[in-house]
Amino acid sequence: MARLPRFDVLFEPIKIGPVTAPNRFYCVPHASGMTNTMPRMRAALRGMKAEGGWGVVCSGYVSVHPTADDSPLPYATLWDDNDIRSHALMTDAVHEHGALAGIELWHGGGSVSNKTSRLPPLSPSGISWMATHVGFMGNQRSKAMDKTDIRNLLRWQAEAARKAKRAGFDIVYVYAGMGYLPYEFLLPEWNMRSDEYGGSLRNRARIVRELLETTRDAVGGTCAVALRISLEELRARPSERAASEAHEAVELLANVPDLWDVKMDSSPTDCAPSRFTPEGSHEPVIEFVKRLTGKPVVGVGRFTSPDTMVSQIKRGVLDLIGAARPSIADPFLPRKINEGREQDIRECIGCNICISSWHDGVPVRCTQNPTIGEEWRRDWHPERFAAAGAESAVLIVGGGPAGLECALTLGRRGYQVSLADAGERFGGRLRFEITLPGLATWGRVLDWRLGQLQRLDNVTLYAGNKLSADEVLGLEHQRIVIATGARWTRRLYSTLELPAGTLEAPNVFTPDDVAAGTHIEGPIVVFDYDNYYLGGALAEFLARTARVTYVTPAGHASAWTIMTNEQPQVHRALANAGVELKTLSLVAGIKDDAVRVTDLFTGAEQTLPCKSLVIVGARSAENELYRLLLARQADWAAAGITSVDCIGDALAPGAIAHAVHSAHRYARELDQPAGREIYRRDSPILESAPLLYDPGSHGVPAP
Ligand code: ADP
Ligand code: SF4
């Protein structure tokens, strides 16, 4: 199929300083959870995006010096020659597909605590970040930078830029955003200096200008110099010289960088979750930049629709369509548009499981794309699949996210697949969950898979079919896959975090009861120790018709959602919905019209009025069918069955991302040679270590 002419503009080459991007698809720097200890995984991840058609593919954040040590978070370094070799793998992987490679050089300033390097963190005036996320907290504060420190910073940037060039990068960044060092200079609350680096905005922006100039001196001529800057806070500040301090800053530096990469200031607004923030949310903050510079501008906004992308360009908001999440959910997004297959784009759902991976310190995961991070270590290509290893017919029981993903991947491999679900509509747990406040976009998990499945002649869908073990044995399929999901339990835990039995009473409910349409009479207590999205979303939903108190042993509502950038907004949503909050508390029992609640630490008891208690706690695998079939193994041969396996929540309950990954892994590995149980493990690059990609003329350190 040919690309639609209205999308032609997206495929125009764009000059960025001395280099030219082959199109307007720009994969902005984003954390991959892969440090320099995983250079091959990182190279394969970024190379896959280039193969998928992104014209520019950037690294994640790369520290220029040990005073910028973000441990235990997974950050990359460019400190020595082995680091050059490590990054050269990525530039070669990206260049192999004709894309440009960008590197985000980074100094964390007073936002880091140098837990590994033990060097004093540096900041403009000795004022550090305040962290509300325990993963970011530290007890080492920063040193106020003197003139020697400023000279050193410029030198480190220049040295790192030269190393970046030797590693083969085409675009080298100065990063003045998100609370990091150059950004700290821009804001007077951090920057209280009385020298030429403090005071007026011209002075506060001096370090950014000098970093850009020093980078250009180091690598200009062959590499483009990009400025990544957060503009949200500056835009909110009045200026005597311009419409805001953001306008003034852009005017001051208008043509100093070759490229403006503009973004928001904090992770929850920058990488905003779809539950609370629509696509294109950066536009009101960054829309003015293009009017004040002649240089190309790139920005993000969870763009997945090519029409929205074209609109951004036509309306003069952006020159290059930046993406982190949409490129994770579908590394082949540009190619699909180019081939007239935009309806095949696997759209990001804005759940931010990807960002949670960085917070967890592990390689990136994605709800929509189970292959992300697995390109090298499991050899998973998002668009290519090994042909079926045998002529088996596969019956999948359960059509939630796991069953759908399994059917799609097996179908693509060429198996004859039957997918049955007890419900009238496929979708499993998500069918109800996407009706909860803010969760509609997550329906893309189902819509995309169902849309793709419809095009496969070898996959047949049977809705409204609850299958028993007898029926499964009679259906003449060789491979049986059980994807029957999980059920919420009424289990409680003690203050020692030990399981403490279940709370059985007629007015104790679970999310499954709410999903089934059971009337839940108010006043309601939602007791949430699952800590992810469902407890908060259910409380908000139930508060539409009843008085709701949300009780949790954690310190915050939906405490784990700090990992997905949702947590601050969950609190706001609950407050707006009139939900009362009771944190650091356990439910101890229920009697008549009251629930007994214990303070987690003091043991003090309290009763809350409650006609219905909804426990959002532990889930347990719904694997009865699986167990029944295992018990009848003696009947398999006569039924022609060679295997019965369990996937997704029926195997081990988890987030949707886990179910999809589990299903994908089963489908990839069916009839494949054994031995894949342990994935390939990456290792740091040492001079003697073999390289995945021949670094050719790009990455070999000069003797
Ligand atoms: P997962 O996240 O692992 O996909 P879900 O709970 O979302 O799990 O989906 C499980 C699906 O399995 C539900 O749609 C449910 O209707 C279906 N199911 C459970 N038991 C059976 C059965 N015996 N026959 C057919 N479908 C079933
Ligand atoms: Fe999008 Fe969620 Fe995948 Fe992140 S994890 S890229 S937010 S679908």
Side-chain angles (χ1 to χ4, degrees):
M1 272 188 288
R3 136 179 127 214
L4 293 175
R6 72 175 192 275
F7 302 141
D8 285 353
V9 66
L10 298 171
F11 294 88
E12 290 170 351
I14 298 284
K15 206 163 162 3
I16 307 173
V19 297
T20 301
N23 58 40
R24 294 179 189 258
F25 293 96
Y26 193 108
C27 194
V28 294
H30 73 76
S32 66
M34 296 168 194
T35 65
N36 284 21
T37 60
M38 301 175 186
R40 296 165 189 82
M41 283 174 68
R42 193 169 59 190
L45 168 95
R46 308 283 179 192
M48 193 63 77
K49 297 190 190 206
E51 186 182 337
W54 298 88
V56 179
V57 180
C58 294
S59 69
Y61 68 141
V62 179
S63 165
V64 297
H65 186 263
T67 50
D69 154 24
D70 213 13
S71 52
L73 290 165
Y75 68 105
T77 55
L78 190 46
W79 298 346
D80 59 23
D81 281 1
N82 279 332
D83 286 346
I84 297 176
R85 294 163 64 84
S86 167
H87 288 286
L89 297 189
M90 170 198 150
T91 58
D92 273 357
V94 168
H95 289 154
E96 203 174 299
H97 300 285
L100 299 177
I103 182 166
E104 184 183 54
L105 297 182
W106 164 84
H107 197 296
S111 78
V112 296
S113 16
N114 295 345
K115 290 171 187 165
T116 300
S117 73
R118 306 294 306 269
L119 297 172
L122 300 171
S123 67
S125 305
I127 301 168
S128 293
W129 235 30
M130 183 207 73
T132 44
H133 179 343
V134 72
F136 296 168
M137 291 176 193
N139 39 28
Q140 165 74 68
R141 301 295 168 215
S142 55
K143 165 191 186 255
M145 290 171 79
D146 58 24
K147 285 288 168 51
T148 307
D149 294 320
I150 288 184
R151 275 198 302 277
N152 283 341
L153 174 67
L154 293 167
R155 180 169 55 81
W156 298 333
Q157 172 78 17
E159 285 170 2
R162 279 191 286 271
K163 290 189 180 85
K165 180 175 169 177
R166 284 164 62 199
F169 285 100
D170 310 287
I171 301 173
V172 180
Y173 270 74
V174 169
Y175 191 8
M178 301 286 261
Y180 300 134
L181 185 52
Y183 176 88
E184 292 166 10
F185 272 88
L186 290 173
L187 296 190
E189 289 79 1
W190 263 314
N191 180 352
M192 300 177 138
R193 302 177 72 95
S194 53
D195 62 5
E196 68 272 31
Y197 292 96
S200 67
L201 184 59
R202 179 177 290 275
N203 277 357
R204 284 181 271 134
R206 186 180 306 277
I207 195 72
V208 179
R209 175 185 286 274
E210 289 180 357
L211 284 164
L212 288 165
E213 286 169 352
T214 203
T215 308
R216 187 178 303 288
D217 288 348
V219 298
T222 52
C223 299
V225 178
L227 173 60
R228 194 170 212 209
I229 187 166
S230 293
L231 294 172
E232 195 179 2
E233 183 65 32
L234 288 170
R235 177 121 201 207
R237 288 163 186 263
S239 157
E240 285 171 11
R241 293 177 184 77
S244 74
E245 284 210 341
H247 290 74
E248 192 185 338
V250 176
E251 276 169 6
L252 277 170
L253 300 167
N255 293 321
V256 185
D258 296 315
L259 171 80
W260 284 83
D261 179 341
V262 288
K263 64 182 313 206
M264 308 290 265
D265 299 45
S266 79
S267 201
T269 52
D270 191 58
C271 184
S274 65
R275 280 177 73 186
F276 305 102
T277 312
E279 185 178 338
S281 62
H282 293 203
E283 186 176 333
V285 171
I286 59 88
E287 48 67 42
F288 71 93
V289 177
K290 245 186 82 58
R291 292 196 296 278
L292 301 182
T293 172
K295 304 293 180 170
V297 178
V298 61
V300 297
R302 199 166 44 79
F303 300 123
T304 54
S305 145
D307 286 308
T308 309
M309 297 172 191
V310 170
S311 155
Q312 290 279 321
I313 292 163
K314 293 266 161 78
R315 290 186 295 114
V317 182
L318 298 174
D319 297 293
L320 292 136
I321 302 301
R325 288 174 293 174
S327 75
I328 294 171
D330 195 341
F332 276 61
L333 179 150
R335 281 242 318 234
K336 289 177 182 174
I337 300 172
N338 200 21
E339 292 166 6
R341 296 193 296 123
E342 53 281 356
Q343 70 282 2
D344 289 340
I345 294 171
R346 184 170 42 205
E347 290 179 293
C348 165
I349 67 166
C351 62
N352 285 354
I353 279 291
C354 47
I355 193 97
S356 80
S357 325
W358 177 64
H359 290 151
D360 270 341
V362 297
V364 61
R365 307 166 287 220
C366 172
T367 300
Q368 279 283 60
N369 177 12
T371 69
I372 201 80
E374 304 285 14
E375 300 84 355
W376 181 80
R377 68 174 196 175
R378 283 200 164 91
D379 216 4
W380 288 358
H381 188 287
E383 302 292 317
R384 284 206 293 270
F385 305 87
E391 285 203 3
S392 316
V394 186
L395 170 67
I396 303 167
V397 187
L404 290 169
E405 173 65 24
C406 190
L408 180 59
T409 307
L410 288 175
R412 286 176 163 175
R413 290 189 58 198
Y415 285 94
Q416 285 298 326
V417 180
S418 304
L419 174 65
D421 195 281
E424 289 306 322
R425 297 181 73 195
F426 288 94
R429 61 185 295 194
L430 266 179
R431 268 290 152 228
F432 167 66
E433 291 178 5
I434 59 178
T435 66
L436 294 174
L439 286 169
T441 310
W442 293 27
R444 290 173 174 181
V445 170
L446 309 179
D447 297 342
W448 182 76
R449 286 175 176 76
L450 285 165
Q452 298 291 305
L453 280 168
Q454 268 162 16
R455 294 197 222 139
L456 293 178
D457 295 337
N458 52 331
V459 180
T460 315
L461 306 185
Y462 300 95
N465 267 279
K466 186 170 171 64
L467 297 181
S468 64
D470 275 336
E471 285 164 330
V472 170
L473 287 163
L475 282 172
E476 296 180 10
H477 287 69
Q478 289 75 56
R479 303 285 193 176
I480 310 298
V481 184
I482 305 300
T484 45
R487 305 282 298 169
W488 292 91
T489 68
R490 292 170 172 76
R491 192 173 305 144
L492 296 181
Y493 281 77
S494 73
T495 48
L496 291 178
E497 303 182 343
L498 303 175
T502 57
L503 188 60
E504 302 294 343
N507 55 346
V508 177
F509 302 98
T510 71
D512 294 318
D513 298 316
V514 186
T518 310
H519 175 62
I520 313 286
E521 195 185 348
I524 301 167
V525 168
V526 172
F527 178 47
D528 179 15
Y529 66 84
D530 170 61
N531 299 319
Y532 192 20
Y533 60 94
L534 195 65
L538 261 187
E540 205 186 328
F541 171 73
L542 293 168
R544 287 176 180 167
T545 51
R547 186 178 150 200
V548 176
T549 308
Y550 172 97
V551 179
T552 178
H556 300 93
S558 295
W560 192 80
T561 61
I562 191 80
M563 311 296 263
T564 51
N565 289 347
E566 292 165 301
Q567 209 257 320
Q569 291 101 309
V570 170
H571 269 252
R572 286 198 279 277
L574 291 178
N576 287 339
V579 174
E580 274 180 56
L581 236 64
K582 186 128 195 63
T583 56
L584 302 177
S585 300
L586 284 173
V587 162
I590 187 163
K591 202 166 171 229
D592 303 327
D593 288 348
V595 71
R596 237 172 350 105
V597 168
T598 321
D599 184 285
L600 187 64
F601 300 129
T602 65
E605 277 209 5
Q606 192 186 346
T607 53
L608 300 174
C610 171
K611 279 225 162 81
S612 308
L613 171 66
V614 181
I615 301 177
V616 187
R619 287 192 300 151
S620 131
E622 178 71 46
N623 55 14
E624 195 193 349
L625 181 59
Y626 177 61
R627 284 185 280 111
L628 287 172
L629 287 167
L630 287 192
R632 297 191 46 189
Q633 205 154 353
D635 302 332
W636 290 8
I641 293 174
T642 53
S643 67
V644 177
D645 288 279
C646 208
I647 61 166
D649 289 327
L651 180 66
I656 299 153
H658 299 118
V660 169
H661 188 274
S662 154
H664 192 84
R665 189 160 67 82
Y666 171 87
R668 283 272 180 183
E669 294 177 354
L670 184 62
D671 295 321
Q672 289 294 297
R676 280 289 165 81
E677 222 166 272
I678 297 176
Y679 48 80
R680 233 190 306 179
R681 278 184 289 178
D682 211 347
S683 56
I685 296 290
L686 303 172
E687 263 157 78
S688 56
L691 301 182
L692 174 66
Y693 296 97
D694 175 8
S697 57
H698 301 299
V700 179

